[in-house]
Amino acid sequence: MPSDTPYNADSQLDIDALVFHNKPTPGKLAIASTKPMSTQRDLALAYSPGVAAPVRAIAADPEAVYDYTSKGNMVAVVSNGTAILGLGNLGPRASKPVMEGKAVLFKRFADIDAVDVQIDYTDPDEFIACVRGFGDTFGGINLEDIKSPECFEIERRLRELLDIPVFHDDQHGTAIIATAGLINACDITGRKLEDIKVVLCGAGAAGLSVLELIESIGVRKENTIVVDIEGVVYEGREGLHERLAKHAVKTEARTLAEAAAGADVLLGLSAGGVFTKQIIASLAPDPIVFAMANPTPEITPEEVKSVRDDVIMATGRSDYPNQVNNVLGFPYIFRGALDVRARTINEEMKIAAARALAALAREDVPDEVAIAYKGERLQYGRNYIIPSPFDPRLISWVPPFVAKAAVESGVARLPFAEGVNYTHTLARRLDPTAALQQRVAASIQAEQKTIVFAEGEEPSVIRAAHAFQSQGLGRAILVAREDIALGNMRELGIAAGSLEICNARLSEHNSEYADFLYERLQRKGYLRRDVQRLVNNDRNVFSACMLKMGQADGMVTGVTRHSNVVMRDVKLALEPAEGGRAVGIAAAVSRGRTLIIGDISVTEFPDAQALAEIAIATANSSRRLGMTPHLAFLSYSSFGNPPGERSEKIQHAVRILDGLGVDFEYEGEMAADIALDPGHHELYPFSRLTEAANILIMPAVHSASIAVRLLKAAGGATVIGPMLVGLEKPVQIARLGASVTDIVNLASIAAYDLNKPAA
């Protein structure tokens, strides 16, 4: 974090956020090429003279811009910073971290490339002219954090001026999610939309958009009342802006309490604490209360519960049921709009998104969601009316509804490709690294395993242990001397007592571990005093003994020692899993392809039997990571050409698998380019791989290590690993000097336990 930053962070979260945004590269976005740029021909095709061809094609047919540029998958996230995240008017520069964050969410949840654009204009005319000038560069415009009422005019006029989707998420994102929840809440309570009495507290952009969208699906205007900071919005009240005046109704009510009496639905998009217990008590039977102010809702579920127990409640917070979370909306709405090249996002598309989300909440909840909620099996009902953001089906569920509505309402340039192919394409768009991390985190949050951080005196390890535990990923134990660990915790601002510290020398299990280790090693040249010294002084040995004796579920280490040294220490106490072999694997993710590579860290020159065992362990772990194995044994040769002693070893490994009758696809020996080519059957029609390989078994550690580093350094791959599998207990070995994030990720992998069979 830059030392001259004038802002003084006052919490560990603030400090972590500043470091997160600053290291290793400032910001959260980067530009990556989708085409190779490694040869002279690549350059000639990408720029002059080759680029002239698509230029002429687009000049002849402007719609060809979607075929030859990234426009069709590119969104601009635009703000002037006049209403930042409830922080107020802090200007366009201050809004940039938020807009970058929005762009990241577009990519993470819908594989949409987004660019943040901050505009230093507060005058609507100037702002509109600016966006109109660059708008055609993009496939869509997402307006964000623009104050009310200017945001209404800005969005309306830009929608008229631009022939692409323009969407103000602060208005419509919240409206769509809240509408989905209201549809289901009415269904559960047996109400019809046209009969319900609705009171809205909060007449800002989001509040009025919620009201307008629910009116679009059947709520009658005469059954709604809006309350702003001045009181009830009634006919004849002076000083109302045009958008708000449309919602003025005839009523004798002048206060929120008067308006809410007998209401079926109470919507809050105002400020914390606005709803009193008396107001809640005055509502109709089985009322629906959406208290969506953040971070403090208008009233908490606990306060509502103290008054009555027949309320269906939603908030904007993730720690309560029924979270109204915009990330359920905008990524998937734009995904569907872009996929049919929609000219706008209209009311029909918003309603389609709301109905899609409502329908998804009524489906059986997948295991991933149950795991994310600590094993609770959520079921459609009062505490589950809105899908979870963790639901992996969102990407393939919502966009088809939106795309179809765009086509049927006449705003799409392309037909709707309804069917399984479109949903499969959508599912493949999700970033596999993020999906893997989410899968692991959701699982271990439910299981709450105990993970030992062996190098517990290191500041990075302490921070990682604290992050692991505070994020609810499990219980952390530091193996360390108390005085050193506590001193480092004080310097890091981590409260004493927040992490358990285990001093190996003083542990109540010290003698037990020494007895176990001596019995194990006494015929391998170790004296009793040797093993006692190991238990007292070697934290890796001590931590491995903790796992062996059942005092912990997994461990992470390696920050201060080379992996081969750590592996030697750990194997003093732990054996390979029954019938297995310790293997180091890595997941490399690049350009939409995930490759699992093994063995990258354990067996230097495996023989045929070892290669077969490595293949089995790697395939099993890949299944645990959610992949279907298509495994290739790599070599310099392909199917015997050119012949050689080393390729014969690999051929023998294949024959061993043949004899074992394993239940996954495998083939070899093969050159890397052949294995990764989905069309290699043209040359080798006998190949048993039905798809391009996604698991690569290397002939030796050095080739595996070289391949992974090349993929990362030259190929731009994101690499997770090495991940250790095949020991009887989960151990993960970080690289020397690993970052806090790396350590947390490996601790999560240890808790997830890649040795377990896939579900």
Side-chain angles (χ1 to χ4, degrees):
M1 183 176 65
S3 59
D4 57 350
T5 301
Y7 168 70
N8 292 318
D10 57 4
S11 71
Q12 186 61 47
L13 177 63
D14 286 349
I15 294 170
D16 289 346
L18 291 174
V19 172
F20 177 85
H21 282 77
N22 180 250
K23 304 292 184 182
T25 301
K28 300 188 285 283
L29 294 176
I31 300 295
S33 172
T34 62
K35 301 295 189 293
M37 292 296 296
S38 55
T39 68
Q40 184 178 14
R41 179 165 176 77
D42 293 338
L43 185 60
L45 291 172
Y47 201 56
S48 182
V51 76
V55 168
R56 287 192 292 265
I58 295 168
D61 176 12
E63 289 299 299
V65 69
Y66 288 97
D67 299 320
Y68 299 115
T69 76
S70 60
K71 175 183 171 76
N73 197 53
M74 184 75 71
V75 167
V77 182
V78 184
S79 180
N80 60 7
T82 53
I84 303 173
L85 277 182
L87 299 174
N89 184 355
L90 300 179
R93 284 195 178 187
S95 74
K96 187 171 178 64
V98 183
M99 300 311 111
E100 285 189 354
K102 197 80 170 190
V104 169
L105 294 179
F106 268 111
K107 188 65 176 178
R108 163 62 185 89
F109 288 101
D111 192 29
I112 293 171
D113 297 315
V115 176
D116 64 294
V117 180
Q118 289 74 47
I119 298 176
D120 196 10
Y121 292 134
T122 56
D123 178 78
D125 290 333
E126 294 178 315
F127 187 97
I128 291 164
C130 181
V131 177
R132 183 187 184 187
F134 67 72
D136 197 48
T137 298
F138 298 93
I141 303 290
N142 185 94
L143 300 172
E144 195 82 16
D145 289 0
I146 303 169
K147 71 183 180 72
S148 175
E150 288 90 336
C151 61
F152 304 130
E153 179 185 2
I154 287 171
E155 186 197 38
R156 178 184 61 79
R157 288 173 56 189
L158 283 173
R159 289 181 63 187
E160 294 171 354
L161 293 167
L162 294 174
D163 199 28
I164 57 173
V166 177
F167 185 80
H168 184 207
D169 186 51
D170 297 325
Q171 294 182 59
H172 308 301
T174 302
I176 289 163
I177 314 310
T179 299
L182 181 63
I183 291 170
N184 282 340
C186 287
D187 174 68
I188 291 166
T189 57
R191 290 180 166 96
K192 294 182 178 180
L193 290 166
E194 59 267 27
D195 295 335
I196 58 176
K197 177 183 176 182
V198 179
V199 175
L200 167 67
C201 179
L208 294 182
S209 294
V210 171
L211 195 63
E212 290 165 0
L213 191 59
I214 65 174
E215 287 176 354
S216 295
I217 64 166
V219 174
R220 294 190 292 180
K221 179 181 177 181
E222 59 267 29
N223 288 346
T224 66
I225 296 178
V226 178
V227 182
D228 67 4
I229 196 169
E230 302 294 334
V232 171
V233 177
Y234 58 89
E235 284 188 2
R237 189 179 127 180
E238 297 181 354
L240 301 177
H241 61 74
E242 181 183 358
R243 179 85 175 269
L244 185 54
K246 294 178 181 178
H247 298 284
V249 295
K250 290 182 180 180
T251 177
E252 298 298 320
R254 293 296 181 266
T255 67
L256 174 60
E258 292 171 354
D264 299 294
V265 180
L266 182 58
L267 303 174
L269 288 122
S270 52
V274 169
F275 297 166
T276 65
K277 293 182 180 180
Q278 291 75 19
I279 288 174
I280 299 300
S282 74
L283 298 173
D286 285 323
I288 300 162
V289 178
F290 287 9
M292 294 176 278
N294 257 326
T296 305
E298 286 81 357
I299 191 169
T300 66
E302 292 88 350
E303 291 171 311
V304 169
K305 189 73 173 178
S306 71
V307 178
R308 55 196 299 177
D309 59 6
D310 63 341
V311 179
I312 292 183
M313 182 89 183
T315 72
R317 288 174 46 157
S318 61
D319 52 347
Y320 292 125
N322 299 326
Q323 183 192 14
V324 179
N325 188 334
N326 281 22
V327 80
L328 287 166
F330 69 86
Y332 311 114
I333 294 162
F334 268 97
R335 180 74 273 154
L338 293 174
D339 287 343
V340 293
R341 298 182 189 170
R343 293 182 168 87
T344 188
I345 294 175
N346 58 24
E347 207 73 1
E348 291 87 347
M349 295 161 73
K350 297 173 199 170
I351 292 171
R355 294 196 184 281
L357 290 167
L360 182 58
R362 303 185 192 194
E363 295 291 309
D364 289 337
V365 179
D367 290 341
E368 290 90 340
V369 176
I371 291 170
Y373 288 86
K374 299 184 178 180
E376 181 184 356
R377 177 59 65 179
L378 297 176
Q379 187 175 10
Y380 177 61
R382 290 175 174 269
N383 289 324
Y384 189 69
I385 59 174
I386 302 170
S388 164
F390 294 104
D391 196 319
R393 300 169 298 179
L394 284 162
I395 181 63
S396 56
W397 183 282
V398 179
F401 280 78
V402 176
K404 185 176 182 180
V407 171
E408 292 178 348
S409 61
V411 298
R413 293 178 177 88
L414 296 179
F416 174 48
E418 187 171 10
V420 69
N421 288 339
Y422 181 47
T423 58
H424 284 178
T425 299
L426 290 167
R428 288 194 296 268
R429 278 187 173 277
L430 286 182
D431 173 46
T433 300
L436 168 61
Q437 293 169 347
Q438 179 180 316
R439 179 192 184 100
V440 169
S443 176
I444 64 177
Q445 283 173 338
E447 296 175 344
Q448 290 294 294
K449 298 288 186 67
T450 298
I451 300 300
V452 178
F453 292 75
E455 299 153 308
E457 295 174 2
E458 296 298 310
S460 61
V461 174
I462 294 171
R463 289 184 61 208
H466 181 260
F468 178 81
Q469 189 164 283
S470 63
Q471 292 172 22
L473 299 174
R475 172 182 169 224
I477 298 178
L478 300 175
V479 176
R481 290 165 290 184
E482 293 89 344
D483 55 339
I484 296 176
L486 289 171
N488 286 334
M489 289 171 66
R490 281 192 298 271
E491 290 186 10
L492 294 168
I494 298 173
S498 61
L499 291 171
E500 182 178 344
I501 301 172
C502 181
N503 186 320
R505 188 181 295 272
L506 303 179
S507 168
E508 62 178 322
H509 298 290
N510 182 285
S511 296
E512 177 188 357
Y513 295 170
D515 290 343
F516 155 72
L517 206 60
Y518 181 55
E519 183 177 353
R520 176 176 169 81
L521 301 177
Q522 59 189 340
R523 295 184 181 275
K524 297 182 180 179
Y526 286 81
L527 300 176
R528 172 73 192 202
R529 62 174 178 266
D530 298 328
V531 297
Q532 186 65 65
R533 190 180 301 113
L534 285 170
V535 171
N536 288 348
N537 299 325
D538 193 308
R539 294 181 186 127
N540 288 323
V541 172
F542 182 85
S543 299
C545 288
M546 289 182 72
L547 268 62
K548 179 69 176 182
M549 305 305 286
Q551 276 83 46
D553 300 303
M555 77 180 260
V556 61
T557 184
V559 176
T560 63
R561 298 186 187 182
H562 288 289
S563 60
N564 62 316
V565 176
V566 175
M567 192 68 187
R568 180 196 64 200
D569 294 342
V570 167
K571 290 173 75 172
L572 291 175
L574 298 176
E575 293 283 351
E578 184 178 355
R581 163 181 295 273
V583 178
I585 66 173
V589 186
S590 178
R591 299 176 184 175
R593 171 180 282 182
T594 301
L595 298 175
I596 303 296
I597 301 167
D599 173 14
I600 70 168
S601 61
V602 180
T603 306
E604 185 174 5
F605 291 107
D607 59 17
Q609 181 64 40
L611 283 171
E613 292 172 356
I614 289 168
I616 293 170
T618 307
N620 290 341
S621 298
S622 299
R623 280 203 182 101
R624 176 76 170 140
L625 293 173
M627 299 175 63
T628 299
H630 304 283
L631 184 147
F633 290 91
L634 294 194
S635 176
Y636 64 91
S637 61
S638 294
F639 304 112
N641 185 34
E645 180 182 350
R646 295 186 179 182
S647 59
E648 290 175 1
K649 176 180 67 173
I650 299 172
Q651 293 165 9
H652 186 195
V654 171
R655 290 194 295 271
I656 291 173
L657 292 187
D658 291 342
L660 293 173
V662 296
D663 61 347
F664 56 85
E665 285 185 7
Y666 58 92
E667 189 57 279
E669 87 286 11
M670 308 170 74
D673 57 337
I674 301 298
L676 297 175
D677 180 4
H680 73 269
H681 289 88
E682 294 181 11
L683 279 177
Y684 305 101
F686 53 83
S687 173
R688 290 176 284 193
L689 295 184
T690 60
E691 297 182 15
N694 58 7
I695 300 175
L696 307 178
I697 302 302
M698 298 294 183
V701 160
H702 64 271
S703 55
S705 178
I706 291 169
V708 168
R709 292 170 190 266
L710 280 173
L711 282 169
K712 184 174 183 180
T718 300
V719 176
I720 303 174
M723 297 174 282
L724 185 62
V725 300
L727 286 177
E728 60 178 315
K729 299 287 184 178
V731 177
Q732 294 301 327
I733 302 174
R735 60 180 173 80
L736 278 172
S739 68
V740 172
T741 300
D742 289 340
I743 301 167
V744 172
N745 287 341
L746 284 176
S748 300
I749 293 292
Y752 190 60
D753 189 1
L754 293 175
N755 295 320
K756 288 176 64 175

